[in-house]
Amino acid sequence: MFLRGVPVWCCVLAWIFMLVKGRRLDYSTEKQAQVFFRNHGAAWSSSLSPYPLSWVNSEPPNGATSPLAGAVYLYDRQQDVPNAFSGSRWTPMDLLISVKSKNGTEIAGDIRYKRYFTNLFEDLYQWNHTTWEKQLKGGCSGRANETLYNKANMFWEWLAQTYAERVFNHHISDPLLLFGPACFNESCELVCNDPGIAEAYSVTIVTRIDCARDLLNMASRTIHMSIERPFNILPPAYDVVIPHEVQMASKRRELLDENPLVGGPMQYPRDIHVVARSSMNRTMYPDYSLFFIPLRHLVFQGSVVDPTRPGSNLSYSSLRDVQRRLDDVVGLLMSKDGCDQIIRQLDPFFVPRYYYMYDDFRFSYKGHEGIAGYKYYILNSTDGLIGGMNTTLNDLGMYTL
């Protein structure tokens, strides 16, 4: 769990390590940890003062059996497109936005611009599948399935990128995704004009997905995206929390704790974070699952009888031994031969007791359904591990609170 109102770097105890292309940098002091998070800012904090615009859901109510209980800010991932990437669902999300001028002045909360930035959030993040489907008519009707599929499946990084594209009036993505079908005439020509905000120099968007509300991807993660003019995408930073004492808001009421045993017969009692970065100016974003799933099964939880209850069959004498094992797995992920080895080790885990939710949500990927579809995506498709991780992540490591 995150410590409310306390910046995460203030809570770093004892050590933090980073891997940079196989070279480990030791962030063993609090001062070094502060520098890391100031530079790469992946960690979530409920101290919202640096972000003048925020859309943050409350925690699920006690006893909640739906991930939507009490949630206000949702991304529509519903779809009825044939061979869709995943089953229909809404995803609760938390978002922080900062926009600064070239001299570093915060302008997102400026009365001159706040309405623009808020409306832009609503345009891009509060879209509605049914409304768009009705609006995709005339000359745009032939692109309806493609557009609805892409919009429903946009990675959080891509959504942040489209926000910056609009602010900077620098369009890279499909205009239908940037403006929505309401901005197109019967000939499917863009009729809306958005000059953006000339004063804006940098856009920073921090997205957090709460594990308790995400029934398909059961790990809280924070994604930090910063983009500067003319359109430099700074290395996206990721902070993924290994599930620890997480009560899921679901009908199954899973209680997740995947921490390993450290220094004795008990599971490690604090949150363990995995942090990573992608490449600068890379617009093909990594799926966090490609590093979380190998670490979950091969470093933290291992093989257990009932993954919906707390437990791990992996034990270590110390946190440093956990780090060494993480180093080994990450090292394998950075080469094709290593990924092939990881794929063989992961194969037995793609069974109902671990991934029943992909049957529940009717997951589909390239003709493969349910758990088999997810297994194909992660282990056998070029979008997954078989495609290799060495061009996806620049560094990856872990720290604890």
Side-chain angles (χ1 to χ4, degrees):
M1 302 298 178
F2 291 93
L3 301 184
R4 299 295 177 187
V6 182
V8 171
W9 53 258
C10 290
C11 306
V12 175
L13 304 177
W15 58 282
I16 172 172
F17 297 100
M18 291 302 299
L19 279 170
V20 184
K21 291 293 187 183
R23 178 167 59 91
R24 188 171 71 187
L25 302 182
D26 188 352
Y27 287 82
S28 57
T29 69
E30 183 175 314
K31 183 176 181 180
Q32 288 173 307
Q34 291 178 20
V35 170
F36 173 79
F37 285 110
R38 185 166 64 246
N39 290 340
H40 308 299
W44 176 269
S45 167
S46 58
S47 178
L48 304 180
S49 57
Y51 296 92
L53 298 179
S54 62
W55 295 268
V56 179
N57 290 304
S58 61
E59 293 185 354
N62 288 335
T65 58
S66 166
L68 306 186
V72 176
Y73 307 112
L74 311 167
Y75 189 75
D76 188 350
R77 296 200 181 277
Q78 297 185 98
Q79 51 193 298
D80 50 18
V81 180
N83 297 316
F85 187 80
S86 61
S88 298
R89 64 193 179 113
W90 292 81
T91 302
M93 61 184 177
D94 301 330
L95 211 72
L96 311 178
I97 294 180
S98 168
V99 182
K100 293 183 179 180
S101 64
K102 192 167 185 177
N103 65 10
T105 301
E106 179 61 68
I107 65 172
D110 189 307
I111 193 171
R112 295 172 295 169
Y113 309 120
K114 187 173 183 179
R115 174 47 54 190
Y116 171 88
F117 293 126
T118 301
N119 287 345
L120 186 54
F121 163 80
E122 293 170 355
D123 284 351
L124 295 175
Y125 286 86
Q126 303 282 269
W127 82 295
N128 182 276
H129 175 279
T130 303
T131 301
W132 276 43
E133 189 173 33
K134 292 177 180 177
Q135 294 170 341
L136 282 163
K137 56 188 178 181
C140 291
S141 60
R143 297 188 55 202
N145 281 359
E146 171 198 5
T147 301
L148 294 171
Y149 172 89
N150 287 335
K151 183 62 177 175
N153 286 302
M154 292 182 81
F155 278 25
W156 302 111
E157 301 94 318
W158 190 8
L159 281 165
Q161 176 190 313
T162 58
Y163 192 98
E165 288 181 44
R166 290 278 298 271
V167 172
F168 295 147
N169 193 23
H170 183 98
H171 302 161
I172 300 172
S173 302
D174 181 346
L176 271 172
L177 299 177
L178 283 175
F179 292 92
C183 278
F184 288 77
N185 62 20
E186 286 291 326
S187 300
C188 205
E189 298 169 332
L190 180 65
V191 294
C192 296
N193 178 44
D194 178 8
I197 302 296
E199 192 178 346
Y201 177 76
S202 70
V203 174
T204 298
I205 298 181
V206 182
T207 308
R208 179 183 180 242
I209 307 302
D210 183 356
C211 172
R213 292 187 179 278
D214 191 351
L215 306 188
L216 276 181
N217 304 291
M218 295 181 175
S220 292
R221 64 256 188 217
T222 302
I223 303 165
H224 182 282
M225 285 280 292
S226 288
I227 300 175
E228 297 178 347
R229 283 192 188 272
F231 206 81
N232 291 319
I233 303 173
L234 303 184
Y238 304 82
D239 187 316
V240 179
V241 188
I242 304 304
H244 170 53
E245 297 180 346
V246 175
Q247 179 67 69
M248 298 296 293
S250 73
K251 293 180 179 179
R252 295 176 183 262
R253 299 293 292 158
E254 299 95 333
L255 180 61
L256 305 184
D257 195 331
E258 298 171 5
N259 279 2
L261 284 63
V262 178
M266 304 296 291
Q267 287 181 271
Y268 187 69
R270 297 187 181 126
D271 283 350
I272 297 176
H273 293 237
V274 175
V275 289
R277 286 188 300 164
S278 187
S279 302
M280 185 168 180
N281 288 328
R282 187 179 193 273
T283 55
M284 292 297 291
Y285 300 109
D287 183 343
Y288 93 101
S289 298
L290 298 184
F291 65 84
F292 171 71
I293 287 176
L295 297 182
R296 173 194 179 187
H297 294 306
L298 305 181
V299 178
F300 297 109
Q301 185 182 45
S303 177
V304 294
V305 174
D306 185 0
T308 68
R309 314 313 300 172
S312 171
N313 79 328
L314 299 179
S315 61
Y316 303 88
S317 60
S318 68
L319 284 174
R320 289 191 177 275
D321 286 341
V322 181
Q323 178 67 48
R324 291 187 187 99
R325 175 57 180 159
L326 183 143
D327 292 355
D328 291 342
V329 172
V330 171
L332 290 171
L333 288 171
M334 294 302 168
S335 72
K336 185 183 184 307
D337 289 344
C339 277
D340 290 343
Q341 183 177 332
I342 292 293
I343 288 168
R344 289 193 295 272
Q345 294 180 53
L346 290 178
D347 187 86
F349 289 98
F350 283 83
V351 293
R353 76 172 187 269
Y354 290 105
Y355 293 106
Y356 54 85
M357 65 288 294
Y358 289 90
D359 281 342
D360 292 350
F361 279 90
R362 297 179 289 109
F363 182 91
S364 177
Y365 181 78
K366 295 186 177 179
H368 301 268
E369 306 295 328
I371 297 170
Y374 192 57
K375 177 181 178 179
Y376 182 81
Y377 165 60
I378 295 294
L379 301 186
N380 302 115
S381 76
T382 53
D383 295 326
L385 289 173
I386 200 170
M389 295 285 285
N390 59 320
T391 59
T392 299
L393 297 176
N394 282 342
D395 46 54
L396 190 150
M398 62 178 263
Y399 72 95
T400 68
L401 294 183

